[in-house]
Amino acid sequence: MTKCNHHPIEAETQMLDLDQLQPGDRIVLRYRLEAEPIRPGSAALTDALGETVEVGKLSVSIQTRKGLVVVPRQAITHAKRVPPAPPRRPRGHAR
């Protein structure tokens, strides 16, 4: 049995170059909620999914369904482009 040194998940989740983002790009950012980990080796993380509004030297702003989210660059752990959202179904729509 041969050992594989390539992990497919890691290849798919390479960090996006934030400086290449344009307003309107649909992205997902994973970022730390706390500047310092709650305990060594851990961090409280959350995601923001939406359209890029602004990319600054210190932060990235994303318009999500719940509103504008401004994420400090130093808190971002992962970032990637995502496809457009599917159209929303009307309420009460039966399958």
Side-chain angles (χ1 to χ4, degrees), residues 88-95:
R88 294 187 76 165
R89 292 184 187 180
R91 287 187 160 209
H93 179 73
R95 289 185 154 203

Side-chain angles (χ1 to χ4, degrees), residues 32-86:
R32 291 184 299 277
L33 292 173
E34 303 289 330
E36 295 294 322
I38 296 169
R39 57 183 188 275
S42 71
L45 300 172
T46 193
D47 296 329
L49 170 66
E51 290 189 6
T52 306
V53 174
E54 182 180 14
V55 179
K57 290 185 179 192
L58 300 176
S59 64
V60 176
S61 301
I62 301 175
Q63 184 64 46
T64 70
R65 283 188 181 174
K66 294 183 179 181
L68 185 66
V69 177
V70 179
V71 182
R73 278 186 177 230
Q74 66 187 24
I76 298 171
T77 62
H78 294 80
K80 71 177 194 175
R81 284 188 175 88
V82 293

